[in-house]
Amino acid sequence: MTTLNKVVLAYSGGLDTSAIVPWLKEHYGGCEVVCFAGDVGQGADELEGIEEKAVASGASSCHVVDLNDEFVRDYVWPTLKSGAVYEGRYLLGTSMARPVIAKAMVELAVSVGADGICHGCTGKGNDQVRFEHAVYALAPELKIIAPWRTWGFKGRTDLIRYCEAKGVPVRSTAEKIWSRDRNLWHISHEGGALEDPWNAPPDDVWMLTRHVRDTPDEPASVLIEFESGVPVKVDGAALGPAGMVERLNDIAGQHGVGRIDIVENRMVGMKSRGCYETPGGTVLMEALRALEELVLDREARRLRDDLALQFSHVVYEGRWYGNAAREAIQAAIDSLMEPVSGEVVVELFKGHATAVQRRSPNSVHDEDFASFEADEVYNQGDAEGFIRLVSLPQAIRARKQRETAQGVS
Amino acid sequence: MTTLNKVVLAYSGGLDTSAIVPWLKEHYGGCEVVCFAGDVGQGADELEGIEEKAVASGASSCHVVDLNDEFVRDYVWPTLKSGAVYEGRYLLGTSMARPVIAKAMVELAVSVGADGICHGCTGKGNDQVRFEHAVYALAPELKIIAPWRTWGFKGRTDLIRYCEAKGVPVRSTAEKIWSRDRNLWHISHEGGALEDPWNAPPDDVWMLTRHVRDTPDEPASVLIEFESGVPVKVDGAALGPAGMVERLNDIAGQHGVGRIDIVENRMVGMKSRGCYETPGGTVLMEALRALEELVLDREARRLRDDLALQFSHVVYEGRWYGNAAREAIQAAIDSLMEPVSGEVVVELFKGHATAVQRRSPNSVHDEDFASFEADEVYNQGDAEGFIRLVSLPQAIRARKQRETAQGVS
Amino acid sequence: MTTLNKVVLAYSGGLDTSAIVPWLKEHYGGCEVVCFAGDVGQGADELEGIEEKAVASGASSCHVVDLNDEFVRDYVWPTLKSGAVYEGRYLLGTSMARPVIAKAMVELAVSVGADGICHGCTGKGNDQVRFEHAVYALAPELKIIAPWRTWGFKGRTDLIRYCEAKGVPVRSTAEKIWSRDRNLWHISHEGGALEDPWNAPPDDVWMLTRHVRDTPDEPASVLIEFESGVPVKVDGAALGPAGMVERLNDIAGQHGVGRIDIVENRMVGMKSRGCYETPGGTVLMEALRALEELVLDREARRLRDDLALQFSHVVYEGRWYGNAAREAIQAAIDSLMEPVSGEVVVELFKGHATAVQRRSPNSVHDEDFASFEADEVYNQGDAEGFIRLVSLPQAIRARKQRETAQGVS
Amino acid sequence: MTTLNKVVLAYSGGLDTSAIVPWLKEHYGGCEVVCFAGDVGQGADELEGIEEKAVASGASSCHVVDLNDEFVRDYVWPTLKSGAVYEGRYLLGTSMARPVIAKAMVELAVSVGADGICHGCTGKGNDQVRFEHAVYALAPELKIIAPWRTWGFKGRTDLIRYCEAKGVPVRSTAEKIWSRDRNLWHISHEGGALEDPWNAPPDDVWMLTRHVRDTPDEPASVLIEFESGVPVKVDGAALGPAGMVERLNDIAGQHGVGRIDIVENRMVGMKSRGCYETPGGTVLMEALRALEELVLDREARRLRDDLALQFSHVVYEGRWYGNAAREAIQAAIDSLMEPVSGEVVVELFKGHATAVQRRSPNSVHDEDFASFEADEVYNQGDAEGFIRLVSLPQAIRARKQRETAQGVS
């Protein structure tokens, strides 16, 4: 048996992590357990009374740290700027939250002199990778404990029985139907009937967004202001990073915006089906993409698209710290987005978020150039030479083939 | 003055190409003008009576060639399979049609012994590039004539006056508000008030799709069957390539599906704003993307995403013939999509096309693997080593930095 | 203790795999051990008498399979065509050999009804990954045994003692200085003094190539003929895949061609320093790259470069079977290289392999076009329009910035 | 006839640009001609007496600007850091020099109030694009004059006759065999017998590098020190950017290092054959690539390789100014190379530049990790899980196919 002195535990107040508290003490030589909860917008219901629950489960203390603005500013904004969307659909809500939580938790572990760190992630998912990767990069000397890969408990019944035996108060006993993860940016739903992709997502799975049939019959509009690819105001109000996302979640959710249904490839080599809701994030993605269209030239845009694909994998895998590739991609994106400032009006209606108006002081769209009438700057005759040179390889090839064919006959 | 014997003209029956007929005869030594119209689904109204119009304008004959199935089978399906979307939005409707039209026209020119070929594209757009590129690749000996880059006419008034002087019957005299291009896959709208991206697209611009507020209050469903990434049946009916697109356009248009509003980078170095409608195409993209999620592993999917980006540029630029890169990308895509067969149910509702059910005999999604319960195939302990090795570079770096820091102190 | 019935062992006749034979029998319930050696050109000295050695070590039999031509034809040629070079230097000799060996071994295991498969690779290298990946893809039901990850032996002394105890005859007792792997394409050297990259490779590490100072003072020439990117003749002789590589190894080695010294990133997250010799391979790479320069246009070439980078990782990782991305990349490469046929003269001199003459019936290089004198096909005036359109985004941006600056003043 | 007031001419003192001086005055209304020569290391012989020659040809003045350090620091170093090599061989010597020359020339034009700018590049090459692109990006209001695309002169004889008629003193009358361009980084040779790639480059084409047979029989060594990917010292001496390149050119040229023979794809759609000499550059590339191998992890390295390919095209095309993609790629490269500091010993011998020793304080190569003996940090058992998860998609696919096959039977 490994003996540890003090273990910091990622604690949610739910059944799993409540059971982990006594289990750690039992299996690591009576170690002290310090609970940690990073507030990334999972909701008051989850955080309320969490300190008391932790102590009642046997923890020595519970630290709740507000990470909302840091989460949005340092993880969400860079990802938004890059345009990263995992496998064409997933806006990376859970992926971005894990590193900020793990970092704060490692900092706590170091400050309280812990020698172990523990999480309640399953052994089949991505979160264990994201979490532990951060620990290896930031404090590799910490012993990582992942009970779900180790213990013999098979499901909730086992856990409830163990909690009762250890005197840990357990509130809910009902089986959970969906596996959920919520933060400011999104909520994910997995498991249960969703696992068969021939099943349409049932209505009761969704939480943040109304069904389209239940949305208002009048559209709403929201004006978003960006500076260098970063949202700075919503309808004229500088609400701060977290505040803007909250505001947009609220209004976009009412209009049914932001539902995603995907069968994705996990890092660990298997597929899983997820239903995600990202109301405010969907609005921001639409707005920023519409704005950059005014500013980025063809090559800059193509590079942005290419980097977005690469960054989507980096972010999905949660490889944030000590990762030179991540830093380099962000440096390139920051450079590209530097002039992407301006205003976008997004219309919300029946599940759609549509950028309907956009302008930028750095727009290189010019009505005078683009219109089909004659002008003085662009000489239409230029196109002839352009096309001829662009087509020269094909023209040479065609001529060569003809010569060869004639030579043969 | 260049003298030509016979010129094949891409003829639409509209004002511009009607004026070109006498203009060619006047400026190329009284050459014979043979008109050509490729039927790619632009609509009966455009093609009806086109032969008579051509002859009335002074052409010796007019050849209308049905390219509908060839267009969809050889240009649309490969692009659909690849997932190519230009600059994140544009489904490439016009881009794909130009090469098939140009090829048929070059074939006509060769068969009638023409020495010139002519189109009515403006000197500021992409179509001139796509068109002429095909000529250079297929028959570089043909003299290309692009009157809009050459003549002095400034607008419709000039053209109408010229037609009247030459005795060419001109039907419509009103100024066109929008510049439009229509085929089976889409219709594009450009120009006029759309040129300012701070203007939302006015309702009257749209033609194929209803406004969301005017769509049915009940969703419709459509079942699409794919074989190796190619649609083969819609609701059980094998309608042929063009037939399937028509059917889907009809139903999806009623439900308001497929509107796109983009400021895009043209090949010729300027931006333009376009509003596109691709109802059936939007449904097919959603369906195929949902199906491939069941089949493609992470690397295959990432390669598909990468190739899609590259292919979107190739297709947009219309560089189809004699283009080794195009052929190679298609070979890779064909290989990737070979196992992507199966069925997808797409729900159409209030402007949304949403894949709600999907299955494939080649699915590698496995409920047993993905669910969070214990199983015999996947050993949760494997994840520990996996994460450790994935994180090793970061762990080594952290250890090294610590050693360095300690060495300094 | 797991009990197995029959285990197929990748057997080299060396100390490690000789010790594995009794170890398997001891630890897997007296299982039968069937030895396997894939002949990929590791040399007669290694294969000579290998059957006797295997049986003397306790194996029931030893199967030696000639994989030379298959190795070169199905693994080396596709990699050569792609241009894949791992991290800019490594010609992938060992990486390509592992899959062909593993496949033959799995086939043997299936044909003799084995339930286990075993290799002698270390737990820190790439070969274990390449080997086991093939087993998982081809026969996942086989139990994989990797003794070096399991047993307690620490080094050669332990192994020699164990062999003596088990009555396994052991020939050499000296410590090996270098860890080596040899096949038709290359030989690798690792370990010992090489581990410190501040140490230059000592002269005695190299085996296939002479030191430059000891090479002939007169150059040699070799004429290589390619069909669609595949070598078919050397100096006019159709020697077959393996025969061509042997011939080129011989002559290029005498001229000191093909030494590589690299610190590479292994799959398993750490770096290692390797010295490789690939004499014939270096000649073939130079020749094919020089030939393709005559044929591939700019885009095709860029795509080839991009795919080469991707393929270098696929090959390095040995992810050959069941890998849709590998198949797709090869399909694209085959398409690109289809016209790359012709002849190349490579001069060998003082460690250099330099393509000095090259020609192809599909060359699109045309002296007439490229020379700087006037000609009728290429109109120099075309360049003006070309440059103007290529530069238009920058010209618009400059004009806009000027307007903005003036507006402010 | 366009009338201009003052034209700045890129002046080399050779026959072509000498003829351009009177030609400009004759064809642009007697405009003043101000000559410009950017010193980028083309050699004293070319620059000596250039002012007198310019004035004797009719120019009002001639400005020679020393751009050597700026050229190396702002154009060569970033390209070196990126690892960009065009089409696998070309170290981009001419490509990098054009933008720095064009920028200085535009600055001169603006400062002297010129309204035109002129160069002597041919209409078939890349340099016209690089040059004019810079003008469009930096001062689009300047009228660009490219006489070789306009005038009727066919070759040197015409030019000599014109110079004589205009009283311009012409020194050399012999036909030039090769078209050459020289700067600090390289010299290029094109034209003449080189145009046929079946001709080996004749010995007399090379200028900066000895033939291998004439090099010293003893190797030389040079120690290069880098900070964040930038060379800072050669053999302990801080010689400045230009000074370091000069020193390395000298020693490497003596050892025959840096000859390149390529058939490349020009921007303007045709191929050309070039022979280049880059002695010092070849040494620096070898050194920096060897150093980065110690520092960059696998992903960072792969990103560097990918960006190098993209950057090679940007640099080749000379699209330096107003190019957001160039700036973004450089930002990413700067980020990646930040820790690439250290020392490399390069051995020069018989045309080879080989990094034989290398070390970096930021090396993540660790002999302890990489050696095959047991250690405490890396647990060999980790590899088992790693391989199993990496191979899971293939294992699932194999299992599925087996189930399907069994289901059928």
Side-chain angles (χ1 to χ4, degrees), chain B residues 299 303 306 310 319 328 332 392, chain C residues 268 299 303 306 310 319 328 332:
Chain B
E299 277 210 68
L303 179 60
D306 183 23
Q310 297 190 48
R319 293 179 293 98
L392 195 61
Chain C
V268 292
E299 278 209 68
L303 179 60
D306 183 22
Q310 298 189 48
R319 294 179 293 96

Side-chain angles (χ1 to χ4, degrees), chain C residues 40-207:
Chain C
V40 288
Q42 58 269 61
D45 48 331
E46 200 172 307
L47 291 172
E48 206 183 287
I50 195 168
E51 288 93 343
E52 293 71 25
K53 268 197 253 180
V55 171
S57 300
S60 64
S61 63
C62 180
H63 300 245
V64 179
V65 181
D66 181 353
L67 301 170
N68 282 285
D69 275 326
E70 185 182 349
F71 169 47
V72 176
R73 190 186 60 231
D74 295 346
Y75 300 79
V76 173
W77 287 170
T79 306
L80 172 69
K81 285 166 73 176
S82 77
V85 179
Y86 186 66
E87 296 195 338
R89 299 195 195 257
Y90 172 33
L91 293 179
L92 295 160
T94 296
S95 316
M96 294 185 293
R98 293 309 176 207
V100 69
I101 294 169
K103 179 162 146 281
M105 195 169 156
V106 166
E107 287 166 358
L108 175 64
V110 169
S111 79
V112 302
D115 48 359
I117 198 160
C118 177
H119 63 75
C121 311
T122 164
K124 292 185 139 185
N126 297 305
D127 283 339
Q128 57 177 344
V129 188
R130 298 163 182 153
F131 183 87
E132 296 176 26
H133 192 276
V135 178
Y136 286 123
L138 297 172
E141 71 282 3
L142 288 173
K143 164 80 178 165
I144 294 173
I145 304 164
W148 275 109
R149 298 200 303 251
T150 313
W151 64 22
F153 302 135
K154 293 290 178 196
R156 293 179 65 82
T157 316
D158 288 2
L159 290 181
I160 291 168
R161 203 167 300 146
Y162 181 73
C163 283
E164 285 168 356
K166 291 292 173 180
V168 171
V170 175
R171 212 175 293 180
S172 95
T173 53
E175 282 295 310
K176 285 197 305 178
I177 303 176
W178 317 115
S179 166
R180 285 188 162 121
D181 178 64
R182 180 172 179 174
N183 59 46
L184 254 181
W185 191 244
H186 98 329
I187 184 166
S188 68
H189 315 278
E190 294 182 298
L194 291 178
E195 276 167 22
D196 182 351
W198 192 248
N199 290 342
D203 282 359
D204 71 350
V205 80
W206 307 102
M207 291 178 65

Side-chain angles (χ1 to χ4, degrees), chain C residues 98-381:
Chain C
R98 293 309 176 207
V100 69
I101 294 169
K103 179 162 146 281
M105 195 169 156
V106 166
E107 287 166 358
L108 175 64
V110 169
S111 79
V112 302
D115 48 359
I117 198 160
C118 177
H119 63 75
C121 311
T122 164
K124 292 185 139 185
N126 297 305
D127 283 339
Q128 57 177 344
V129 188
R130 298 163 182 153
F131 183 87
E132 296 176 26
H133 192 276
V135 178
Y136 286 123
L138 297 172
E141 71 282 3
L142 288 173
K143 164 80 178 165
I144 294 173
I145 304 164
W148 275 109
R149 298 200 303 251
T150 313
W151 64 22
F153 302 135
K154 293 290 178 196
R156 293 179 65 82
T157 316
D158 288 2
L159 290 181
I160 291 168
R161 203 167 300 146
Y162 181 73
C163 283
E164 285 168 356
K166 291 292 173 180
V168 171
V170 175
R171 212 175 293 180
S172 95
T173 53
E175 282 295 310
K176 285 197 305 178
I177 303 176
W178 317 115
S179 166
R180 285 188 162 121
D181 178 64
R182 180 172 179 174
N183 59 46
L184 254 181
W185 191 244
H186 98 329
I187 184 166
S188 68
H189 315 278
E190 294 182 298
L194 291 178
E195 276 167 22
D196 182 351
W198 192 248
N199 290 342
D203 282 359
D204 71 350
V205 80
W206 307 102
M207 291 178 65
L208 299 183
T209 55
R210 291 194 199 169
H211 191 286
V212 166
R213 95 174 76 79
D214 304 322
T215 55
D217 287 330
E218 287 305 312
S221 274
V222 62
L223 171 70
I224 302 168
E225 208 176 317
F226 291 90
E227 277 175 18
S228 293
V230 172
V232 290
K233 285 188 189 166
V234 170
D235 286 331
L239 305 166
M244 278 188 289
V245 176
E246 273 167 14
R247 167 78 64 96
L248 290 169
N249 276 343
D250 182 44
I251 183 167
Q254 290 174 39
H255 285 275
V257 168
R259 294 185 174 187
I260 292 156
D261 177 7
I262 185 176
V263 175
E264 79 198 35
N265 289 295
R266 285 195 194 141
M267 279 193 80
V268 292
M270 64 182 69
K271 288 184 173 289
S272 75
R273 199 261 193 99
C275 288
Y276 304 129
E277 297 171 88
T278 328
T282 301
V283 175
L284 288 169
M285 276 292 275
E286 166 71 8
L288 184 54
R289 302 287 76 86
L291 185 63
E292 76 185 3
E293 288 179 2
L294 301 181
V295 178
L296 301 183
D297 65 39
R298 197 155 57 117
E299 278 209 68
R301 172 56 193 265
R302 185 169 176 166
L303 179 60
R304 216 270 296 131
D305 279 332
D306 183 22
L307 293 171
L309 176 56
Q310 298 189 48
F311 203 52
S312 73
H313 283 260
V314 170
V315 175
Y316 185 77
E317 300 178 6
R319 294 179 293 96
W320 210 269
Y321 307 112
N323 184 345
R326 176 192 65 77
E327 290 165 20
I329 294 172
Q330 274 190 238
I333 293 290
D334 286 348
S335 173
L336 286 171
M337 300 304 278
E338 194 272 328
V340 182
S341 302
E343 292 173 317
V344 184
V345 177
V346 179
E347 189 186 84
L348 308 174
F349 187 51
K350 297 290 169 197
H352 300 275
T354 312
V356 291
Q357 296 180 274
R358 33 186 156 164
R359 62 184 170 198
S360 166
N362 302 319
S363 170
V364 287
H365 174 72
D366 190 317
E367 296 179 49
D368 302 336
F369 291 132
S371 69
F372 293 103
E373 301 304 317
D375 66 57
E376 43 193 51
V377 177
Y378 179 93
N379 177 357
Q380 300 213 14

Side-chain angles (χ1 to χ4, degrees), chain A residues 268 299 303 306 310 319 328 332, chain D residues 299 303 306 310 319 328 332 392:
Chain A
V268 292
E299 278 209 69
L303 179 60
D306 184 22
Q310 297 189 49
R319 294 179 292 98
Chain D
E299 278 209 70
L303 179 59
D306 184 22
Q310 297 189 50
R319 295 179 292 96
L392 196 61

